Amino acid sequence: MPRADGRLSHNLDPMEQGPQDRCGVFGVWARGEDVAKLAYFGLYALQHRGQEAAGIAVSDGTGVVVYKDLGLVAQVFDEPTLASLRGHIAVGHTRYSTTGSSNWENAQPTLRATMVSSDDRPATTIALAHNGNLVNTAELHRQVQELGLVDDATSDTALVATLLASRPDLSVEAAALELLPKLRGAFSFVFMDEETLYAARDPQGVRPLVLGRIERGWVVASETAALETVGASFVREVEPGELLSIGDDGLRSTRFASPDPKGCLFEYVYLARPDSVISGRNIYAARVAVGRTLAREHPVDADIVIGVPDSGIPAAIGYAEASGIPYSAGLVKNAYVGRTFIQPSQTIRELGIRLKLNPLREIVRGKRVIMVDDSIVRGNTQRAQVRLLREAGAVAVHVRISSPPVTWPCFYGIDFATRAELIANGLDTEGIRASIGADSLGYVSLEGLIAATEQPRTRLCRACFDGEYPIDLPQDGMVGKHLLEGVQRRLSERGRPTQPAMVAERNHPFSPPVAPTPRSLSLGAPAPSDQNATPRGAHPHR
C-alpha cells in the first residue's frame, strides 16, 4: 500500500513477490568508533534480507536510543540522523515480516525496559533484533499473560523482548540463558543493553549468524558480506545453541543448548548474497555448481543460456560451462525498480515484470533459449518471463530451475506462499511447464542441490522441498504470520481487554504508549535529535 507521506513503501506488486527472508541483523561493540554508521553500512549490505523497515539502536553506556521507520535503509537514515545516534554499542535490523504485519510498531530493534527490582536496581533497557521465526509464539503469548504483563505485541520478537525484560532480578545475560532454551523455531538474535552486546543462535542454527573483528571491537552480522563491507575480519560463525556476550571485559561464550545443526538449504539457492560464505562454502560457487548439475540432469539442445537476474545468473553460468552452450545476458534488470509508492492496479501489475526486466532482443531473437531461475513459487513470474522472451523473438524457451520444486511452506523465517498457493503442490512438472508456457522444464534434484553445498544432508533444513521439519511444529496449528493479531482479535471479541486500564501508568515499562509520531525513541539518556523522546522507564514501542 502507498504511504501517506509519499515515501517508498511496497514492492511493485505484493501479490507477485518471491520468497522473502525474515530479516538481516547487525551488531557492533567498539569504543571510539562511529557505531551508528557502521551499523548503517552493515544494514545496507543486508538490504536484500528485508526491505519493509529498518532501524538502529545505540547506547553510550547511560541510555539506549532507537531510530526506525518503514522503508529501505537509505530512506530511513540520513547524515543528521546517524550523527545523533552516539555511543559505543549499536544493534541494527532490516525487516521483512513473517510474524506480524508490516507496520511501524513491528519494525525493529524492539525496545523493552525492565521493571525496578526489589533491591532498587536501576531499570535496564533491552534492544532486540531478530532474524528467523519462532513456532511456539502462542505459548510465549500465554506466558506473558500469565506473568500479568500487558503487551499487545503482534510479533514473536516483541514477546521475546518482553520476557527478557520481565526478570529485573537477573542480569540480561542470566535472563537470556533462562529464556533461550524455552524458545522453539529459528532465531538469530542480536541484542543489547546499556553496556553489553549479545548474540544468540537457535540450537539448529537455521538462520546464519557470524562474528567478526575490527580494530577496536567486535561485529555480529547475518552474513559475512556485511562483515567485509564494514572492514571486519571474519572470526567464525556463532554456533547453534550459543550465546555471546561482548563488553569491556571482552567476549564471553556460553552454551544454552546442545547444537543440532540444520542450516537453511534455501540460503544457498536464493536468500544469501553470492559473495557471502556459509559453513565454509562460498554461495556463488555453490550456485555455479548447482548449474553444472542442472545441465547434467536436464540437458537440452539450445543456442544460448541466460540467467534471470540476479540469483539465477551463477547457476546459468554453471549450466553453460557444463553444457558447452554459450552464456549470454538475455534479460536486463532495472536495479531501481524494486519498490514503488504506486498502488498496484491491474495495469501496473501487467507492467510490473516489464519495469523490472527487459529482454535483449538482439540476443534472443531467433534463438532457442535456456532460461535459468532460482525457484518457482506461484509460477506467475516465470510465466511473464517466458512471454517476454517469446515476444522478443525467442523461438523456444526452456526453463531450468536451480532448486527442487517448493512444495511445503516454511515456518522458520521465509515468507513463502501458503501450501495451497505453491504451484508445485498442485501440479506435476509437466503441468507447471504448461502453466508457465515453456517448451520444457527441469528442476535440479534435491541430492544435486545438497551436494553443491558441500554439507551433509543431516546438517541442512530441507523442509520446503521434502516436508521434513527439523523443529516440531505446534500440534494445535497455532502458527502463522498474523497469529498474534488473531489472538488479540479473539480476546477482544470475547470481551477481554487487550490493554487493561489498570496498567496505564506512564512510568510502567509495559504500559500502552502514546501513538508513535516520532521515529526516534529512547530509554535512559534523552535522544539529542528528538524533543519528544520517551522518558526513562516508559514503554516506547509496540
Side-chain angles (χ1 to χ4, degrees):
M1 296 295 291
R3 289 178 41 176
D5 61 8
R7 291 167 68 90
L8 307 190
S9 59
H10 257 285
N11 284 336
L12 191 67
D13 184 359
M15 301 304 294
E16 302 297 333
Q17 292 179 5
Q20 304 288 335
D21 184 54
R22 180 182 173 95
C23 304
V25 296
F26 187 89
V28 55
W29 189 101
R31 290 195 179 274
E33 294 283 358
D34 192 341
V35 294
K37 286 189 177 178
L38 287 175
Y40 172 84
F41 289 117
L43 294 182
Y44 209 94
L46 298 171
Q47 184 71 87
H48 61 288
R49 299 189 73 90
Q51 300 180 16
E52 290 186 357
I56 296 174
V58 299
S59 172
D60 61 359
T62 61
V64 176
V65 177
V66 62
Y67 190 97
K68 60 182 181 177
D69 200 3
L70 301 180
L72 303 174
V73 176
Q75 297 168 329
V76 172
F77 297 98
D78 55 22
E79 190 75 30
T81 301
L82 291 172
S84 72
L85 299 175
R86 296 189 292 268
H88 64 281
I89 312 174
V91 165
H93 189 266
T94 180
R95 183 174 196 255
Y96 186 88
S97 57
T98 55
T99 295
S101 297
S102 177
N103 53 38
W104 187 92
E105 287 77 6
N106 286 331
Q108 297 181 36
T110 298
L111 276 186
R112 292 294 186 268
T114 63
M115 293 173 284
V116 177
S117 62
S118 57
D119 59 0
D120 293 327
R121 180 186 301 173
T124 299
T125 306
I126 297 169
L128 175 71
H130 176 197
N131 176 29
N133 196 57
L134 302 180
V135 297
N136 65 332
T137 303
E139 177 186 323
L140 299 176
H141 184 269
R142 287 192 295 270
Q143 186 176 345
V144 167
Q145 287 187 310
E146 290 168 359
L147 291 172
L149 304 175
V150 179
D151 198 324
D152 58 351
T154 56
S155 75
D156 51 355
T157 308
L159 290 175
V160 172
T162 296
L163 291 169
L164 276 176
S166 69
R167 295 298 306 271
D169 55 317
L170 298 178
S171 67
V172 172
E173 182 176 359
L177 290 173
E178 181 180 271
L179 175 62
L180 292 172
K182 301 176 182 177
L183 305 180
R184 294 201 311 277
F187 58 86
S188 285
F189 291 139
V190 177
F191 56 108
M192 60 184 278
D193 56 24
E194 285 84 354
E195 294 291 345
T196 308
L197 175 69
Y198 304 93
R201 198 174 176 200
D202 65 82
Q204 287 71 36
V206 176
R207 299 279 145 234
L209 192 63
V210 293
L211 174 69
R213 193 78 162 95
I214 57 177
E215 183 178 356
R216 298 180 180 178
W218 300 88
V219 175
V220 182
S222 291
E223 295 186 30
T224 59
L227 299 183
E228 294 176 2
T229 297
V230 300
S233 58
F234 172 76
V235 176
R236 63 177 177 85
E237 294 191 356
V238 178
E239 294 295 326
E242 181 181 28
L243 171 68
L244 296 181
S245 303
I246 303 170
D248 282 318
D249 295 332
L251 182 146
R252 181 170 58 257
S253 170
T254 309
R255 288 281 185 183
F256 63 86
S258 298
D260 180 24
K262 293 291 186 293
C264 174
L265 182 55
F266 210 78
E267 292 279 353
Y268 295 88
V269 174
Y270 174 81
L271 298 179
R273 275 178 47 157
D275 52 339
S276 286
V277 175
I278 296 179
S279 298
R281 180 61 159 158
N282 174 262
I283 297 299
Y284 179 86
R287 290 173 183 169
V288 171
V290 171
R292 295 192 189 105
T293 301
L294 192 53
R296 292 190 292 269
E297 293 181 345
H298 297 283
V300 65
D301 192 15
D303 301 307
I304 59 171
V305 180
I306 68 172
V308 176
D310 290 314
S311 52
I313 291 177
I317 292 172
Y319 192 105
E321 289 179 357
S323 66
I325 300 172
Y327 169 81
S328 183
L331 291 168
V332 176
K333 179 182 179 181
N334 183 346
Y336 302 97
V337 184
R339 302 157 64 81
T340 176
F341 58 87
I342 300 173
Q343 174 72 20
S345 65
Q346 185 58 39
T347 301
I348 294 301
R349 286 174 179 166
E350 292 174 358
L351 287 175
I353 189 68
R354 298 178 184 273
L355 289 172
K356 293 180 180 180
L357 290 175
N358 198 44
L360 285 167
R361 295 179 181 273
E362 291 75 10
I363 299 297
V364 304
R365 185 184 295 119
K367 302 290 180 57
R368 297 166 298 172
V369 177
I370 299 172
M371 184 186 79
V372 182
D373 204 354
D374 57 81
S375 60
I376 298 180
V377 180
R378 295 178 180 88
N380 297 331
T381 300
Q382 286 75 22
R383 188 178 302 114
Q385 291 165 351
V386 170
R387 185 172 63 248
L388 277 181
L389 291 171
R390 292 196 189 281
E391 291 174 355
V395 297
V397 181
H398 303 280
V399 176
R400 297 294 180 266
I401 303 299
S402 61
S403 65
V406 177
T407 53
W408 297 86
C410 175
F411 298 102
Y412 307 139
I414 307 175
D415 190 23
F416 280 128
T418 64
R419 194 174 187 211
E421 294 175 286
L422 295 171
I423 190 171
N425 182 50
L427 296 174
D428 60 12
T429 300
E430 174 58 24
I432 297 171
R433 181 209 62 77
S435 175
I436 66 176
D439 290 273
S440 70
L441 171 64
Y443 294 87
V444 75
S445 66
L446 181 57
E447 293 73 20
L449 175 58
I450 292 172
T453 69
E454 298 184 348
Q455 291 294 301
R457 182 188 185 97
T458 55
R459 293 177 65 93
L460 294 167
C461 175
R462 317 167 305 274
C464 58
F465 302 124
D466 63 11
E468 297 182 13
Y469 293 94
I471 305 170
D472 291 338
L473 303 176
Q475 296 298 313
D476 58 8
M478 293 291 283
V479 65
K481 180 171 181 175
H482 301 289
L483 168 68
L484 292 174
E485 289 147 335
V487 169
Q488 296 294 342
R489 184 175 62 253
R490 288 193 294 275
L491 289 176
S492 179
E493 289 170 353
R494 293 172 187 167
R496 294 170 59 185
T498 59
Q499 294 183 341
M502 70 179 69
V503 193
E505 301 174 42
R506 184 65 173 167
N507 63 352
H508 192 283
F510 299 106
S511 62
V514 179
T517 51
R519 292 177 293 166
S520 179
L521 302 172
S522 69
L523 288 175
S529 62
D530 182 13
Q531 296 177 353
N532 297 312
T534 309
R536 182 180 182 89
H539 183 105
H541 167 213
R542 289 281 192 271

mmCIF file of all heavy atoms in Angstrom, residues 3 73-74 76 152 192 237 255 266 288 323-324 411 444-445 457 466 491:
data_model
loop_
_atom_site.group_PDB
_atom_site.id
_atom_site.type_symbol
_atom_site.label_atom_id
_atom_site.label_comp_id
_atom_site.label_asym_id
_atom_site.label_seq_id
_atom_site.Cartn_x
_atom_site.Cartn_y
_atom_site.Cartn_z
ATOM 1 N N ARG A 3 2.152 4.909 1.095
ATOM 2 C CA ARG A 3 2.150 5.601 2.376
ATOM 3 C C ARG A 3 1.709 7.029 2.213
ATOM 4 O O ARG A 3 1.889 7.651 1.171
ATOM 5 C CB ARG A 3 3.560 5.557 2.975
ATOM 6 C CG ARG A 3 3.951 4.179 3.447
ATOM 7 C CD ARG A 3 5.341 4.169 3.986
ATOM 8 N NE ARG A 3 5.625 5.344 4.792
ATOM 9 C CZ ARG A 3 6.749 5.536 5.448
ATOM 10 N NH1 ARG A 3 7.679 4.634 5.382
ATOM 11 N NH2 ARG A 3 6.954 6.612 6.148
ATOM 12 N N VAL A 73 16.870 1.065 3.930
ATOM 13 C CA VAL A 73 17.870 1.640 4.837
ATOM 14 C C VAL A 73 18.211 3.072 4.439
ATOM 15 O O VAL A 73 18.259 3.964 5.289
ATOM 16 C CB VAL A 73 19.150 0.766 4.847
ATOM 17 C CG1 VAL A 73 20.236 1.410 5.702
ATOM 18 C CG2 VAL A 73 18.839 -0.637 5.359
ATOM 19 N N ALA A 74 18.429 3.309 3.155
ATOM 20 C CA ALA A 74 18.810 4.642 2.700
ATOM 21 C C ALA A 74 17.677 5.646 2.806
ATOM 22 O O ALA A 74 17.918 6.855 2.807
ATOM 23 C CB ALA A 74 19.302 4.569 1.249
ATOM 24 N N VAL A 76 15.366 5.491 5.401
ATOM 25 C CA VAL A 76 15.105 5.703 6.824
ATOM 26 C C VAL A 76 16.159 6.614 7.455
ATOM 27 O O VAL A 76 15.849 7.453 8.301
ATOM 28 C CB VAL A 76 15.049 4.348 7.556
ATOM 29 C CG1 VAL A 76 14.965 4.546 9.077
ATOM 30 C CG2 VAL A 76 13.856 3.539 7.059
ATOM 31 N N ASP A 152 0.581 -5.830 23.974
ATOM 32 C CA ASP A 152 -0.249 -6.128 22.815
ATOM 33 C C ASP A 152 0.617 -6.451 21.596
ATOM 34 O O ASP A 152 0.288 -6.116 20.466
ATOM 35 C CB ASP A 152 -1.198 -4.975 22.504
ATOM 36 C CG ASP A 152 -0.463 -3.664 22.239
ATOM 37 O OD1 ASP A 152 0.760 -3.623 22.470
ATOM 38 O OD2 ASP A 152 -1.110 -2.701 21.807
ATOM 39 N N MET A 192 21.077 -5.916 22.917
ATOM 40 C CA MET A 192 21.994 -5.118 23.724
ATOM 41 C C MET A 192 21.268 -4.542 24.923
ATOM 42 O O MET A 192 20.039 -4.422 24.947
ATOM 43 C CB MET A 192 22.548 -3.953 22.886
ATOM 44 C CG MET A 192 21.470 -3.015 22.371
ATOM 45 S SD MET A 192 22.088 -1.697 21.281
ATOM 46 C CE MET A 192 22.652 -0.520 22.493
ATOM 47 N N GLU A 237 31.552 -18.526 12.723
ATOM 48 C CA GLU A 237 30.102 -18.475 12.852
ATOM 49 C C GLU A 237 29.721 -18.542 14.330
ATOM 50 O O GLU A 237 30.424 -19.172 15.133
ATOM 51 C CB GLU A 237 29.435 -19.633 12.113
ATOM 52 C CG GLU A 237 29.608 -19.575 10.604
ATOM 53 C CD GLU A 237 28.731 -20.582 9.879
ATOM 54 O OE1 GLU A 237 28.045 -21.380 10.547
ATOM 55 O OE2 GLU A 237 28.731 -20.564 8.630
ATOM 56 N N ARG A 255 27.055 -21.817 26.325
ATOM 57 C CA ARG A 255 26.122 -22.724 25.662
ATOM 58 C C ARG A 255 24.808 -22.767 26.437
ATOM 59 O O ARG A 255 24.810 -22.986 27.641
ATOM 60 C CB ARG A 255 26.698 -24.134 25.606
ATOM 61 C CG ARG A 255 27.839 -24.298 24.641
ATOM 62 C CD ARG A 255 27.328 -24.418 23.220
ATOM 63 N NE ARG A 255 28.411 -24.692 22.279
ATOM 64 C CZ ARG A 255 28.244 -24.783 20.969
ATOM 65 N NH1 ARG A 255 27.037 -24.603 20.470
ATOM 66 N NH2 ARG A 255 29.256 -25.016 20.182
ATOM 67 N N PHE A 266 17.759 -23.177 1.623
ATOM 68 C CA PHE A 266 17.343 -22.140 0.688
ATOM 69 C C PHE A 266 18.267 -20.919 0.720
ATOM 70 O O PHE A 266 18.251 -20.110 -0.196
ATOM 71 C CB PHE A 266 15.896 -21.710 0.970
ATOM 72 C CG PHE A 266 15.166 -21.235 -0.259
ATOM 73 C CD1 PHE A 266 14.673 -22.151 -1.172
ATOM 74 C CD2 PHE A 266 14.989 -19.892 -0.504
ATOM 75 C CE1 PHE A 266 14.005 -21.728 -2.313
ATOM 76 C CE2 PHE A 266 14.329 -19.461 -1.640
ATOM 77 C CZ PHE A 266 13.830 -20.381 -2.554
ATOM 78 N N VAL A 288 26.963 -21.875 -8.855
ATOM 79 C CA VAL A 288 27.545 -22.314 -10.122
ATOM 80 C C VAL A 288 27.557 -23.840 -10.189
ATOM 81 O O VAL A 288 27.234 -24.445 -11.228
ATOM 82 C CB VAL A 288 28.964 -21.745 -10.299
ATOM 83 C CG1 VAL A 288 29.650 -22.377 -11.509
ATOM 84 C CG2 VAL A 288 28.923 -20.230 -10.448
ATOM 85 N N SER A 323 27.346 -27.560 -20.159
ATOM 86 C CA SER A 323 26.658 -27.966 -21.389
ATOM 87 C C SER A 323 27.422 -27.600 -22.651
ATOM 88 O O SER A 323 27.182 -28.174 -23.723
ATOM 89 C CB SER A 323 25.276 -27.319 -21.442
ATOM 90 O OG SER A 323 25.385 -25.902 -21.568
ATOM 91 N N GLY A 324 28.330 -26.623 -22.548
ATOM 92 C CA GLY A 324 29.030 -26.137 -23.728
ATOM 93 C C GLY A 324 28.216 -25.173 -24.559
ATOM 94 O O GLY A 324 28.657 -24.726 -25.626
ATOM 95 N N PHE A 411 8.210 -22.382 8.050
ATOM 96 C CA PHE A 411 7.778 -21.777 9.313
ATOM 97 C C PHE A 411 8.973 -21.242 10.099
ATOM 98 O O PHE A 411 8.836 -20.874 11.256
ATOM 99 C CB PHE A 411 7.022 -22.806 10.152
ATOM 100 C CG PHE A 411 5.768 -23.311 9.499
ATOM 101 C CD1 PHE A 411 5.750 -24.543 8.879
ATOM 102 C CD2 PHE A 411 4.622 -22.533 9.475
ATOM 103 C CE1 PHE A 411 4.601 -25.010 8.262
ATOM 104 C CE2 PHE A 411 3.463 -22.985 8.858
ATOM 105 C CZ PHE A 411 3.447 -24.223 8.249
ATOM 106 N N VAL A 444 16.568 -28.975 -10.623
ATOM 107 C CA VAL A 444 17.687 -29.737 -10.098
ATOM 108 C C VAL A 444 17.157 -30.674 -9.021
ATOM 109 O O VAL A 444 16.175 -30.375 -8.321
ATOM 110 C CB VAL A 444 18.788 -28.802 -9.530
ATOM 111 C CG1 VAL A 444 18.378 -28.223 -8.177
ATOM 112 C CG2 VAL A 444 20.117 -29.534 -9.417
ATOM 113 N N SER A 445 17.773 -31.808 -8.874
ATOM 114 C CA SER A 445 17.357 -32.760 -7.842
ATOM 115 C C SER A 445 17.756 -32.259 -6.464
ATOM 116 O O SER A 445 18.693 -31.458 -6.321
ATOM 117 C CB SER A 445 17.991 -34.123 -8.098
ATOM 118 O OG SER A 445 19.410 -34.040 -7.946
ATOM 119 N N ARG A 457 23.705 -33.977 4.323
ATOM 120 C CA ARG A 457 22.245 -33.839 4.279
ATOM 121 C C ARG A 457 21.664 -33.621 5.675
ATOM 122 O O ARG A 457 20.721 -32.845 5.865
ATOM 123 C CB ARG A 457 21.650 -35.099 3.638
ATOM 124 C CG ARG A 457 20.129 -35.077 3.472
ATOM 125 C CD ARG A 457 19.621 -36.443 3.003
ATOM 126 N NE ARG A 457 18.198 -36.423 2.734
ATOM 127 C CZ ARG A 457 17.668 -36.254 1.529
ATOM 128 N NH1 ARG A 457 18.465 -36.087 0.481
ATOM 129 N NH2 ARG A 457 16.355 -36.249 1.364
ATOM 130 N N ASP A 466 11.104 -31.142 1.025
ATOM 131 C CA ASP A 466 10.709 -32.530 1.311
ATOM 132 C C ASP A 466 9.725 -32.666 2.461
ATOM 133 O O ASP A 466 9.289 -33.779 2.780
ATOM 134 C CB ASP A 466 11.938 -33.406 1.576
ATOM 135 C CG ASP A 466 12.743 -32.977 2.810
ATOM 136 O OD1 ASP A 466 12.256 -32.140 3.585
ATOM 137 O OD2 ASP A 466 13.878 -33.483 2.976
ATOM 138 N N LEU A 491 -9.412 -12.253 21.686
ATOM 139 C CA LEU A 491 -9.580 -11.751 23.043
ATOM 140 C C LEU A 491 -10.570 -10.593 23.076
ATOM 141 O O LEU A 491 -11.413 -10.494 23.950
ATOM 142 C CB LEU A 491 -8.230 -11.319 23.614
ATOM 143 C CG LEU A 491 -7.235 -12.437 23.946
ATOM 144 C CD1 LEU A 491 -5.925 -11.834 24.403
ATOM 145 C CD2 LEU A 491 -7.797 -13.362 25.002
#
